[in-house]
Amino acid sequence: MPLPSWLRRLFDGRSLSGSSASPEFTPRAVILGLLIGCLLCFTNLYFGLQTGWISMMSLQSALIGFLLSRLLGTPITPQENVVLQTTAVATGTMPLAAGFVGIIPALSLLEPEKDGSGPVTLSWLSAIGWSCAVAYFGVFMSPPIRKQVIIEEQLAFPSGTATAQLIGVLHKMPPPQLSVRQRRGYSALTAEDGGDIPHTPGFDEADHVEAEVREVVQTEGWSALTLSFLGSSILTLLAYFFPVMFAIPLFGTYLARQWLWSFTPSLSYVGQGIIMGFPTTLSMNLGMLVGWGVLSPLSKHYGWAPGPVGDMTSGARGWILWTALAIMSSDSFVALVPVAREYLEKLLRRSSSSGALGSDVDGLDDDKEVETEERLVSLKWVLWGLGSSVALGIVIVWLVFGKEGIKPWATFIGFAMGGLLSILGVRALGETDLNPVSGLGKISQLLFALIQPGNVVANIIAGGVAEAGAQQAGDLMQDLKTGHLMQASPRAQFYGQLLGSTLSVPITVTAYVLYSRAYPIPGPTFPAPTAYVWLSLARLLRNGQLPDYSATFMLASAVLFAVISSLKTSATRRQLWYAKYIPSGVAFAIGFLNTPSFSLARLIGGVVEYFYHRRMADKGGRDDIRLIVIASGFVLGEGVMSIACLVLRTFGIGVASCWGCSHGMCGGCSA
């Protein structure tokens, strides 16, 4: 069926920014990006509240955007695809940037006797204000950071580079020139031994590879995406009415009921495992085995955690949380050490060189910029944007939390800390593909324990401000790396980031309010594990009390993972093949925070990814691309169906049967 004329005009590729030559910021790119981003926003909020883990989905957004554009008559250009996925990522990652998977639930858990303040629950309007306070700081920081890490230092940003590779193949462009080997997740241009295939005239195999990949996407893309989406959606709906389907007592009802060892056969978790890759899911499951198979029964047996296993205050789940916190902090801090050292050394060298050479050095720096001035974000915009976002953010935070919260001058320090920590986080992301935002937030919490001692609310808010800047700047920098390799306009991407962040504020807040009205947060369905991490550290910094013997295990695990992280960081920076198999401290700790059911399903996805990638995938990577499409459908299927389940619960339509469920095993039956 042909599209209506008004719809064809909307999607005809005209530029919204007034540029007629090679339009990039077009209605169709922006609208498709916002639509995909809204789906990602709901999906990331849903899974973030369940497991504390969200995904940028930049590569998947580019792939889905390409498929959708084929329905519009005139396919989008590669540069439009860059803007599309940039807009989608900015829209989809707001649940983490604004703290709705950790900060906001943590504030709702406050207790007067422990924290000096009662629960802080934000209204819809207050949540909108808080989100606006932190939504734009990272966006305006991106252009100046781009100049340093992408243009000057040419850091890898593996996920952004992988997305550029895929866009190049889909749109029949030569692959971007890369100076470093890239990461897992996209191997269509990679030989079986892992070496890069040079794209040179007459190299028929590379041309054949690209043609096969495009054929897979164009002929099988929609069917694979639709079938995987429907399969995941139907399974999610069935699990809503029959909750035991997502709480299978894999090792018997006793272990499931008393020790929380159940299995959730969620296709979305399998899809997340495929996207994460085998090394990450392996680290997560190693942590799950140590946390839930060793430390949990140990703490219960010796009486260190006498309460029910799942209790976050007196039970084993709350006890092992402290070990997870030590591992995450140690891993993040160690990974940042070489980044900080190199950055300071470069600043010192630049300072001494500038004194000796004067303006010649600046001239050399400017020569490295490949974009013309009209395609860049002007310095005036950056300065005005940073100034206004910080000023308005300080005022809004004061209005939202009042005098009992964080002081205005302290909020300013929080933004300043966020700016400094963002630089470290972006550099770590550019080199390792891991943005240590959890560790960066903890640094800010430690500082504010000195600035506003005893104020738990201020401590959590300050950490949230710093984490928001670091997380947002890092995610957007991956997109700018993609745009740089695809010769897309940084200004067009900047527009997309602003629009995506703006729309995501009401979408995220409304979704969170609806979820919180239908389900207890934290609760059986949405445990919000990272909320307890934030709150536990803030309480520790206030009163210094730890559960019995947890300090010993925290110290031992911190030292152990400091060594492991040092080895992993060194191997990664030297681009050694085994670096990805050295356990990731953050992923290992996530295995502690989540019950085994979440980790086991992701391991299945990781094994599937490994099996396809190493055993079944042909030279051209046809199965790699097909697997990415299927994984995307799995994740989006449950995320979208969760909206329908939310509507059902809001209207009082509950489960059909609690058969097989014991108290505490099934979220739908124990709420």
Side-chain angles (χ1 to χ4, degrees):
M1 180 187 301
L3 293 173
S5 58
W6 65 269
L7 192 57
R8 286 200 304 271
R9 287 194 299 269
L10 185 62
F11 288 94
D12 64 0
R14 292 176 297 173
S15 175
L16 286 171
S17 59
S19 173
S20 58
S22 184
E24 302 174 30
F25 187 68
T26 61
R28 61 186 180 187
V30 172
I31 293 174
L32 290 176
L34 292 175
L35 289 175
I36 295 171
C38 287
L39 292 180
L40 295 181
C41 186
F42 266 94
T43 300
N44 278 332
L45 180 61
Y46 176 79
F47 293 119
L49 287 171
Q50 284 191 337
T51 68
W53 189 286
I54 75 166
S55 175
M56 280 180 60
M57 298 285 284
S58 54
L59 188 146
Q60 289 75 20
S61 297
L63 184 58
I64 295 171
F66 177 81
L67 290 172
L68 289 174
S69 72
R70 287 173 53 81
L71 299 177
L72 305 177
T74 306
I76 57 175
T77 66
Q79 288 72 32
E80 285 180 288
N81 203 340
V82 170
V83 172
L84 183 154
Q85 64 91 24
T86 301
T87 306
V89 169
T91 310
T93 54
M94 187 58 67
L96 179 60
F100 284 93
V101 301
I103 303 297
I104 303 303
L107 291 173
S108 69
L109 293 170
L110 296 177
E111 301 176 21
E113 59 275 12
K114 292 183 179 180
D115 310 308
S117 174
V120 177
T121 303
L122 300 183
S123 65
W124 184 86
L125 187 59
S126 296
I128 289 285
W130 158 254
S131 301
C132 290
V134 297
Y136 303 105
F137 179 63
V139 176
F140 284 104
M141 281 194 61
S142 298
I145 297 179
R146 169 193 174 273
K147 171 72 173 176
Q148 176 63 31
V149 299
I150 293 179
I151 304 303
E152 299 295 336
E153 301 179 44
Q154 300 182 29
L155 297 184
F157 290 98
S159 289
T161 301
T163 304
Q165 288 178 312
L166 178 64
I167 292 175
V169 170
L170 294 177
H171 295 274
K172 303 181 181 180
M173 293 180 65
Q177 296 297 316
L178 308 176
S179 57
V180 295
R181 291 176 59 180
Q182 299 308 328
R183 62 168 267 184
R184 66 184 189 278
Y186 181 65
S187 61
L189 303 177
T190 305
E192 284 184 319
D193 64 354
D196 294 336
I197 297 178
H199 185 87
T200 55
F203 191 65
D204 295 334
E205 184 179 0
D207 294 337
H208 178 64
V209 165
E210 295 178 20
E212 284 191 327
V213 171
R214 284 192 296 271
E215 180 186 353
V216 168
V217 175
Q218 294 174 3
T219 60
E220 304 177 28
W222 265 119
S223 59
L225 184 67
T226 301
L227 291 175
S228 59
F229 181 93
L230 289 175
S232 182
S233 300
I234 292 171
L235 184 61
T236 303
L237 187 62
L238 289 175
Y240 176 82
F241 289 112
F242 304 95
V244 74
M245 291 184 61
F246 273 5
I248 297 175
L250 196 62
F251 304 107
T253 56
Y254 172 77
L255 287 180
R257 184 176 61 255
Q258 297 295 331
W259 296 96
L260 308 185
W261 275 86
S262 60
F263 174 57
T264 300
S266 162
L267 290 179
S268 66
Y269 291 159
V270 174
Q272 288 178 358
I274 293 172
I275 294 170
M276 291 176 183
F278 178 65
T280 300
T281 57
L282 183 61
S283 294
M284 189 178 294
N285 278 265
L286 288 175
M288 178 267 293
L289 287 175
V290 172
W292 292 92
V294 178
L295 296 184
S296 174
L298 196 67
S299 64
K300 180 74 172 180
H301 175 74
Y302 284 102
W304 305 333
V309 171
D311 191 281
M312 294 296 294
T313 302
S314 61
R317 188 173 189 180
W319 193 90
I320 64 175
L321 168 68
W322 291 100
T323 305
L325 176 60
I327 293 172
M328 293 172 70
S329 300
S330 176
D331 181 80
S332 299
F333 292 164
V334 170
L336 285 173
V337 168
V339 175
R341 186 185 67 246
E342 289 186 3
Y343 183 67
L344 290 175
E345 289 174 352
K346 289 181 179 181
L347 285 180
L348 292 174
R349 285 199 300 269
R350 175 169 296 184
S351 177
S352 59
S353 299
S354 298
L357 299 177
S359 61
D360 290 341
V361 175
D362 293 335
L364 290 174
D365 287 345
D366 291 339
D367 289 341
K368 295 181 181 178
E369 179 60 76
V370 296
E371 297 289 352
T372 58
E373 188 172 344
E374 63 270 13
R375 287 166 57 87
L376 295 171
V377 181
S378 72
L379 180 61
K380 182 185 295 185
W381 293 5
V382 171
L383 295 178
W384 274 101
L386 282 175
S388 59
S389 63
V390 170
L392 289 175
I394 292 172
V395 172
I396 292 173
V397 169
W398 181 74
L399 291 174
V400 169
F401 294 101
K403 61 181 181 180
E404 299 298 327
I406 188 170
K407 305 295 184 184
W409 58 266
T411 305
F412 175 78
I413 295 177
F415 277 111
M417 280 288 295
L420 293 175
L421 296 176
S422 294
I423 296 174
L424 297 180
V426 164
R427 288 182 55 81
L429 183 68
E431 295 178 2
T432 68
D433 211 36
L434 176 65
N435 191 351
V437 291
S438 58
L440 296 175
K442 306 304 176 287
I443 293 175
S444 186
Q445 283 189 278
L446 292 173
L447 175 66
F448 272 80
L450 302 175
I451 294 177
Q452 284 194 254
N455 192 328
V456 174
V457 176
N459 191 278
I460 294 175
I461 296 171
V465 170
E467 185 187 51
Q471 184 267 330
Q472 199 171 34
D475 286 349
L476 301 183
M477 206 54 57
Q478 292 274 26
D479 298 329
L480 289 171
K481 179 67 174 184
T482 302
H484 175 67
L485 295 175
M486 287 289 99
Q487 302 175 12
S489 163
R491 182 177 293 191
Q493 289 185 268
F494 177 74
Y495 292 151
Q497 291 167 355
L498 285 177
L499 275 178
S501 298
T502 301
L503 177 64
S504 187
V505 167
I507 295 294
T508 302
V509 172
T510 301
Y512 182 81
V513 169
L514 292 175
Y515 278 131
S516 62
R517 289 178 179 176
Y519 302 91
I521 299 177
T525 302
F526 296 113
T530 55
Y532 292 97
V533 176
W534 285 98
L535 183 58
S536 296
L537 180 57
R539 284 175 173 172
L540 175 64
L541 295 172
R542 182 176 189 263
N543 55 41
Q545 294 182 354
L546 286 169
D548 294 343
Y549 288 92
S550 60
T552 303
F553 284 86
M554 288 177 69
L555 180 60
S557 60
V559 172
L560 174 62
F561 271 89
V563 175
I564 293 175
S565 180
S566 299
L567 295 174
K568 185 176 182 66
T569 301
S570 175
T572 300
R573 293 164 72 86
R574 292 161 58 192
Q575 300 177 20
L576 300 178
W577 67 270
Y578 58 82
K580 61 184 179 181
Y581 291 107
I582 300 176
S584 161
V586 172
F588 192 90
I590 291 292
F592 281 54
L593 299 182
N594 295 314
T595 56
S597 60
F598 296 112
S599 301
L600 290 171
R602 285 185 169 89
L603 180 62
I604 293 175
V607 171
V608 168
E609 185 269 341
Y610 178 84
F611 185 69
Y612 260 75
H613 188 64
R614 300 296 182 189
R615 305 295 181 188
M616 291 179 62
D618 55 30
K619 273 190 174 183
R622 292 170 55 94
D623 290 315
D624 275 355
I625 296 299
R626 187 181 295 110
L627 197 60
I628 291 173
V629 175
I630 293 172
S632 302
F634 284 163
V635 174
L636 292 176
E638 181 165 338
V640 172
M641 185 52 65
S642 69
I643 304 173
C645 294
L646 174 62
V647 173
L648 292 175
R649 191 174 181 91
T650 301
F651 283 96
I653 303 175
V655 301
S657 172
C658 286
W659 177 85
C661 289
S662 298
H663 180 71
M665 283 178 53
C666 306
C669 290
S670 60

